[in-house]
């Protein structure tokens, strides 16, 4: 089961997805998923009792995620008929309650965002996680060095990118790559290219002016009028490819 999944994830299923019958394909993928669910359910608490090491279990999950990603990209490459799912593991049900904070995530991608107030301007920061099956697979990001800085700015997210549909947007600046800061554009570029497996990107959007506070000013007739305090836009310029 692991050998089939790993081979399919690494070598692809071009002929199978291009010429195969979609309904039969779905039956096959569902059968594989059902078997994986049994495996992961048995090894969920103590994999050593089943003769499966934790390292092997993690590797199996990684290969299933890689194959899931391949199937998700099939729709873009082969058309609407090649729309497949690969739900290979049961997700634990999230507890509901006012005191429980739940992060939105999936097995393939996870996203989180936060906003900070910096001297009258607001900057949004997002964390996005994707799976890059191998070093040879492209992340699908157009990047450029910000003018007068060493930081990396996102200039494009083409169709088919691993980041398509995530919170990562054009114009954002990369802060860290897999939890590490880069000291130059070249180093950051090399880190992105060499990344493999789970890739975690933390990026920030350009700072925007915070909502202006209204102030009351006395008028000659004893009434009052309101005016807004504005903060000039301080977005940094960028360098094109």
């Amino acid at each position: 089961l692991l050998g089939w999944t790993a081979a399919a994830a690494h070598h692809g299923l071009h002929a199978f997805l291009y010429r195969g019958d979609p309904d039969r394909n779905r039956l096959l993928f569902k059968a594989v998923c059902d078997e994986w669910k049994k495996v992961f359910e048995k090894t969920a608490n103590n994999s050593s009792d089943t003769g499966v090491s934790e390292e092997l279990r993690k590797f199996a999950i990684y290969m299933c995620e890689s194959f899931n990603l391949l199937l998700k990209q099939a729709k873009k490459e082969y058309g609407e008929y090649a729309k497949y799912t690969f739900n290979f593991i049961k997700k634990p049900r999230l507890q509901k309650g006012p005191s429980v904070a739940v992060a939105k995530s999936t097995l393939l991608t996870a996203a989180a965002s936060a906003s900070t107030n910096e001297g009258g301007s607001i900057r949004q920061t997002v964390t996005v996680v994707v799976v890059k099956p191998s070093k040879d697979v492209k992340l699908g990001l157009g990047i450029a060095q910000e003018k007068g800085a060493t930081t990396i700015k996102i200039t494009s997210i083409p169709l088919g990118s691993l980041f398509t549909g995530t919170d990562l947007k054009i114009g954002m600046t990369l802060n860290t790559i897999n939890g590490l800061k880069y000291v130059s554009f070249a180093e950051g570029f090399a880190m992105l290219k060499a990344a493999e497996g789970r890739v975690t990107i933390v990026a920030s959007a350009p700072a925007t002016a915070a909502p202006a506070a209204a102030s009351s000013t006395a008028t000659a007739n004893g009434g009052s009028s309101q005016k807004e305090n504005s903060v000039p836009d301080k977005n940094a310029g960028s360098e094109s490819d």
Side-chain angles (χ1 to χ4, degrees):
L1 184 63
L2 178 57
W4 184 92
T5 306
H10 278 294
H11 300 293
L13 298 171
H14 173 72
F16 187 81
L17 295 173
Y18 181 67
R19 295 195 297 267
D21 179 80
D23 293 330
R24 292 184 177 181
N25 292 352
R26 291 187 185 94
L27 289 175
L28 171 62
F29 298 149
K30 183 180 184 303
V32 175
C33 284
D34 289 343
E35 292 304 312
W36 274 123
K37 285 179 181 177
K38 295 176 184 177
V39 172
F40 293 131
E41 187 173 4
K42 290 180 181 178
T43 59
N45 297 323
N46 193 342
S47 57
S48 60
D49 292 344
T50 60
V52 178
S53 66
E54 184 62 22
E55 290 75 14
L56 182 58
R57 185 176 189 274
K58 289 180 179 179
F59 177 74
I61 292 176
Y62 166 69
M63 294 313 308
C64 286
E65 288 176 340
S66 300
F67 184 65
N68 192 8
L69 180 61
L70 182 147
L71 292 184
K72 283 183 176 292
Q73 294 174 331
K75 178 183 175 183
K76 301 172 184 176
E77 186 171 354
Y78 303 107
E80 188 67 29
Y81 77 94
K83 185 178 180 180
Y84 303 108
T85 57
F86 194 71
N87 301 318
F88 59 90
I89 192 170
K90 291 182 179 180
K91 300 179 183 179
R93 292 189 176 183
L94 301 175
Q95 297 180 358
K96 294 183 179 180
S99 61
V100 179
V102 179
K104 184 180 180 182
S105 63
T106 67
L107 287 170
L108 274 175
T109 61
S113 63
S115 298
T116 57
N117 195 318
E118 302 175 356
S121 61
I122 296 177
R123 183 182 297 274
Q124 182 189 22
T125 300
V126 300
T127 301
V128 177
V129 182
V130 298
V131 173
K132 187 182 177 189
S134 69
K135 295 179 181 179
D136 298 328
V137 174
K138 295 183 178 180
L139 287 169
L141 283 180
I143 58 176
Q145 183 173 349
E146 288 197 290
K147 190 174 182 180
T150 59
T151 49
I152 296 175
K153 186 174 183 178
I154 300 172
T155 58
S156 65
I157 303 178
L159 187 64
S161 165
L162 298 184
F163 294 97
T164 300
T166 68
D167 287 341
L168 205 64
K169 306 298 180 186
I170 295 173
M172 285 186 168
T173 299
L174 302 189
N175 298 337
T176 62
I177 302 167
N178 284 336
L180 301 175
K181 292 185 177 181
Y182 54 93
V183 296
S184 66
F185 176 84
E187 183 184 39
F189 177 80
M191 290 168 65
L192 291 171
K193 189 174 182 180
E196 187 175 11
R198 287 182 178 270
V199 182
T200 304
I201 299 292
V202 177
S204 295
T208 57
S215 60
S216 179
T217 305
T219 60
N221 59 8
S224 65
S225 62
Q226 291 185 333
K227 63 180 181 180
E228 293 184 345
N229 297 323
S230 61
V231 178
D233 189 1
K234 297 181 179 179
N235 291 351
S238 63
E239 217 173 39
S240 59
D241 287 326

